[in-house]
Amino acid sequence: MRSSPRPLRLAPIVLLPLSAAVGCFDFTLVGEPGGEGAPTASLVLSATAGQAPLELVLDASASLPFKEGDALQFDFDFDGDGTFEIERSDDAIADHSYSSAGSFAPLVRVRGSDGRYDVADAALEVSAQNPPRTADVDVDSDHDGRITGADEAVEDESEAAFFGNVDDDNGDGERDRDDNVLDDDDDDTFPIVVRQVRELGASQVFVQVSPAIAATRTRLWLDGAILTDASSDRAQVQGAGAADVELRLESLTGRTSDWDGRVEITVTVEDGGDVVSSDTVHLRAAPVLFPDNLQAPRQLFVMDIPDGEDSNQALVGAFRDSLPEGVDLYELNADDYFYDRWVQDSWEVGTQLVPDGDGGQREMITAMQTERSYGGQGLDAFVPGEWISQGRGFYYPGGDETAHNYGGNLETSPPTASDPFGRMLFGGGTQALSGARNVDSMNENQVSFLNAQELQGPAIELSSEWLEVGHIDEILQFIPDLSPDEGGHAFKIAIASPRLARDVLVGLRENGQGGATVFAGRRRSFSVDEVLDDEEFNALNELAQARIEGVQVKLKATLHLSDDDFRPVPVFFEDQGDGLVAAFNPGVQNLVTMGTRLFAPDPEGPVVNGEDAWQAATLASLADTDLDVVFVDVFQSYHELLGEAHCGTNVERAPYATAWWTVEK
């Protein structure tokens, strides 16, 4: 707090219809306020507290007529003493300046065309001016998206929110943080108001950014010029003796492994090097939050590969025909990106959120660019080239390259009681399926970046190093449960199950269908009997089942789940050499969730009596989720290239409705 005491600020606005007439109402009014047939009055103040002189806006525009279309008139009493300074106004909004300190109850009287009326009031505290030479700085400490007198009451224990300026507002193809230009209309910088210092005289006003690392990650701007940055964390604030001065805070990064995103702004009044008074406010960078599959989809990314035996038109066509209403389909041009179809892998789409002035949240869609290279011509160029734009930016943690860095190896669990924004999950480990040592995991730069966001961490590592590609979407995928049991989670986990795949085939053989064909019509195919009689194949899948069950045990322990939260889907694995395996049949769990619809790889199981047995087993396993499952052919377009539907797509989703600044972690 500042060195000079100030009167306590009041709580947020309270709107109270008055139960009896207030002041001297004129004879044209009919009945009692709020009586039968009267309109409904509403009054919202632009601030509930502030320092004189306080410029205030009184807004009655949310008032409602009793009859639709009835014209309303508005009377305003600025101090609540019964005298209406404005009467019979057609304008629902009025301005007033409060020049002296005191407690006020401004009110509005709203009357309909027949004279019936209603009254609403609000509470207002106006404090006296600061004593001479008093430092005073304000930010949006109460998270209402505005800087008002109400922020003063919570500035010691609350942190205003800001996000990293990593989008491209001016369309120059570079992140705005790389420009040395400030756009005054840029919503990506955040106001800091240094209040006027009365009777400043020969004294001076200074601003200081701390801790030291925060000064290297942020810039303060004044009138389009840089005031503080990495070269200087302290500067004089010119003009603060004549009027309030607005500074703009620009953040070059958000939370990182070496910076928790916290900033302190201290304003001092100094005389000959001595501090006369000071005031400090606190701010914190928004985390990048990654939505889970239960969040509403807004845009689906897929590469359009129209020709050739590896054409993906079955998948793209399914999206064109069956995406839920309101979801945009973004089709990437294959020629632009060297036919790099693995759209999931080069970036992970998240979001930064700060309060807006309407009680909601303002968003910057923010991707994490993964450490991935595709010969310098692939989708690693998409986010920093084609995608970045106004309101869309990215961070790039960098680090050593491995396939375990890719987006297919990174998932977000849906929220639970213990993790209100879910948890980040990634794959890695030290042991191949054969037992041979195989150390591989996501690089530390990316893991540290994820953990630095805090609210979805610490990220959980699951065993995936036994897979040829090494991604956890080869094992599992979170899907909605549209009709969960009472007290249960709103999601299930579709998880690959060699055991289920085998049980289905065993059931067919027992029913005399051992000759039915797996992968009928493909370059290679097998009878049910051939699959079941391959001892090495079955032994390998027993090992894979055990490894998957180990993953399931870890998820149950860390996310507080039960066996009922998992839904097995039929997926076999086959040897790729060196103790590593990949899906034998298209991995059903490597699916795309679009609201209540799943686009699942067609497992291409044996067809008996017109029914694919593995499809039927999948539908039976997922039946209680009430989801619509669309099976899609990905056999040559993705599966034979060691991927599936999820690997070939990316999704932008709506952010969480819960405000991160209200959640402790």
Side-chain angles (χ1 to χ4, degrees):
M1 287 291 290
R2 64 182 59 80
S3 55
S4 301
R6 296 279 302 281
L8 183 66
R9 300 295 190 246
L10 292 187
I13 297 170
V14 178
L15 302 179
L16 299 170
L18 300 187
S19 59
V22 177
C24 304
F25 296 132
D26 67 43
F27 65 90
T28 63
L29 298 175
V30 177
E32 295 295 319
E36 183 178 354
T40 302
S42 170
L43 180 62
V44 176
L45 307 182
S46 58
T48 58
Q51 181 187 101
L54 177 64
E55 301 294 330
L56 197 72
V57 176
L58 295 83
D59 186 352
S61 60
S63 301
L64 299 174
F66 178 72
K67 295 180 180 179
E68 185 175 355
D70 189 21
L72 298 178
Q73 289 190 319
F74 303 88
D75 307 331
F76 289 95
D77 176 359
F78 294 127
D79 51 17
D81 64 356
T83 300
F84 288 88
E85 289 80 7
I86 295 178
E87 290 191 281
R88 296 184 178 276
S89 172
D90 294 329
D91 193 344
I93 298 175
D95 300 324
H96 185 66
S97 178
Y98 291 82
S99 59
S100 59
S103 299
F104 302 96
L107 59 88
V108 65
R109 183 171 63 197
V110 182
R111 47 177 132 192
S113 59
D114 61 359
R116 289 179 172 84
Y117 68 100
D118 192 22
V119 182
D121 71 351
L124 173 66
E125 283 289 316
V126 181
S127 61
Q129 287 183 321
N130 282 335
R133 299 202 302 172
T134 298
D136 188 0
V137 58
D138 290 319
V139 292
D140 179 25
S141 299
D142 65 356
H143 304 119
D144 68 352
R146 302 173 297 171
I147 297 178
T148 68
D151 294 304
E152 186 69 38
V154 296
E155 70 176 18
D156 283 345
E157 62 269 14
S158 181
E159 297 169 319
F162 61 92
F163 47 52
N165 192 15
V166 293
D167 65 347
D168 178 20
D169 287 322
N170 61 13
D172 66 354
E174 299 289 338
R175 288 179 283 188
D176 292 335
R177 70 177 195 178
D178 299 323
D179 300 332
N180 287 319
V181 178
L182 179 69
D183 182 350
D184 291 337
D185 296 324
D186 187 357
D187 287 337
D188 307 337
T189 62
F190 295 81
I192 297 170
V193 178
V194 178
R195 300 297 183 186
Q196 179 184 0
V197 181
R198 295 193 303 118
E199 301 178 28
L200 182 62
S203 300
Q204 297 174 309
V205 179
F206 290 89
V207 62
Q208 172 88 40
V209 180
S210 61
I213 191 171
T216 69
R217 304 295 175 84
T218 63
R219 298 190 288 210
L220 286 183
W221 294 76
L222 173 59
D223 294 333
I226 295 175
L227 196 62
T228 69
D229 59 10
S231 64
S232 176
D233 60 6
R234 170 181 156 89
Q236 184 177 352
V237 182
Q238 301 285 354
D244 290 352
V245 176
E246 182 179 274
L247 311 179
R248 304 290 297 188
L249 175 71
E250 180 185 28
S251 181
L252 308 182
T253 73
R255 304 183 190 188
T256 60
S257 60
D258 58 350
W259 182 44
D260 62 8
R262 287 187 166 93
V263 181
E264 289 188 352
I265 303 294
T266 299
V267 170
T268 55
V269 175
E270 301 182 16
D271 189 354
D274 296 326
V275 175
V276 176
S277 63
S278 67
D279 187 26
T280 298
V281 290
H282 311 271
L283 305 96
R284 193 169 193 198
V288 180
L289 295 175
F290 297 94
D292 63 84
N293 288 343
L294 274 61
Q295 298 301 109
R298 297 193 297 205
Q299 191 168 46
L300 173 67
F301 300 84
V302 65
M303 182 168 289
D304 180 20
I305 305 174
D307 302 312
E309 66 176 14
D310 61 349
S311 166
N312 67 348
Q313 293 308 287
L315 181 63
V316 174
F319 292 147
R320 290 171 180 161
D321 294 340
S322 304
L323 278 186
E325 185 176 352
V327 180
D328 293 329
L329 181 61
Y330 193 121
E331 298 181 31
L332 290 87
N333 188 301
D335 290 325
D336 291 343
Y337 297 104
F338 206 60
Y339 282 71
D340 178 8
R341 71 192 65 213
W342 308 114
V343 180
Q344 181 67 209
D345 286 341
S346 288
W347 74 94
E348 192 77 13
V349 185
T351 187
Q352 299 180 77
L353 298 165
V354 296
D356 68 15
D358 298 318
Q361 301 185 87
R362 182 159 56 87
E363 176 185 13
M364 179 186 287
I365 300 167
T366 306
M368 182 185 76
Q369 176 86 349
T370 64
E371 184 58 50
R372 176 179 182 266
S373 175
Y374 197 81
Q377 304 175 73
L379 286 172
D380 44 328
F382 174 72
V383 164
E386 181 175 337
W387 185 80
I388 186 173
S389 57
Q390 185 175 26
R392 283 178 163 80
F394 71 96
Y395 290 112
Y396 172 46
D400 296 332
E401 183 170 359
T402 164
H404 282 69
N405 294 336
Y406 302 173
N409 196 35
L410 183 61
E411 297 297 325
T412 308
S413 74
T416 62
S418 58
D419 295 294
F421 294 101
R423 289 281 288 278
M424 300 305 298
L425 312 169
F426 68 96
T430 61
Q431 192 176 70
L433 205 61
S434 64
R437 187 165 177 78
N438 182 51
V439 180
D440 207 348
S441 184
M442 185 174 289
N443 80 56
E444 182 58 32
N445 289 37
Q446 290 187 180
V447 176
S448 295
F449 175 81
L450 297 174
N451 289 337
Q453 311 313 308
E454 294 187 56
L455 291 172
Q456 294 180 312
I460 301 168
E461 184 177 51
L462 304 173
S463 175
S464 71
E465 79 284 13
W466 52 281
L467 296 160
E468 172 70 16
V469 178
H471 295 175
I472 57 173
D473 66 359
E474 299 175 76
I475 307 171
L476 59 88
Q477 196 72 219
F478 292 88
I479 60 174
D481 184 351
L482 303 183
S483 54
D485 295 336
E486 184 176 354
H489 296 113
F491 64 88
K492 293 290 185 281
I493 301 175
I495 192 163
S497 174
R499 178 177 294 125
L500 177 58
R502 178 177 172 78
D503 287 347
V504 170
L505 300 191
V506 169
L508 291 177
R509 180 151 72 177
E510 290 176 348
N511 288 325
Q513 301 293 338
T517 303
V518 178
F519 308 156
R522 298 298 182 182
R523 281 190 285 258
R524 58 173 189 160
S525 61
F526 308 87
S527 70
V528 168
D529 287 335
E530 285 177 316
V531 174
L532 293 178
D533 291 340
D534 189 328
E535 294 183 1
E536 289 187 7
F537 179 83
N538 285 282
L540 178 143
N541 275 281
E542 288 180 7
L543 293 175
Q545 182 69 47
R547 192 65 67 96
I548 292 170
E549 288 174 356
V551 168
Q552 185 166 324
V553 167
K554 187 165 186 177
L555 284 172
K556 287 164 57 179
T558 52
L559 299 182
H560 309 291
L561 306 179
S562 68
D563 286 335
D564 186 56
D565 293 312
F566 295 84
R567 291 292 179 269
V569 292
V571 181
F572 275 130
F573 293 86
E574 62 181 336
D575 185 31
Q576 298 293 309
D578 298 324
L580 304 179
V581 301
F584 168 70
N585 58 295
V588 183
Q589 85 297 328
N590 196 283
L591 48 79
V592 181
T593 301
M594 289 281 106
T596 63
R597 182 165 296 150
L598 304 180
F599 292 87
D602 183 347
E604 306 230 2
V607 177
V608 176
N609 298 324
E611 181 181 65
D612 183 313
W614 280 341
Q615 282 190 16
T618 298
L619 294 174
S621 184
L622 303 181
D624 65 348
T625 66
D626 291 338
L627 295 167
D628 175 26
V629 182
V630 177
F631 289 105
V632 184
D633 172 14
V634 297
F635 202 92
Q636 289 181 262
S637 56
Y638 293 98
H639 174 67
E640 289 188 336
L641 304 174
L642 301 183
E644 319 287 3
H646 185 260
C647 302
T649 57
N650 215 318
V651 183
E652 177 189 314
R653 299 183 182 274
Y656 296 104
T658 301
W660 62 264
W661 50 88
T662 66
V663 176
E664 295 290 334
K665 181 68 174 180

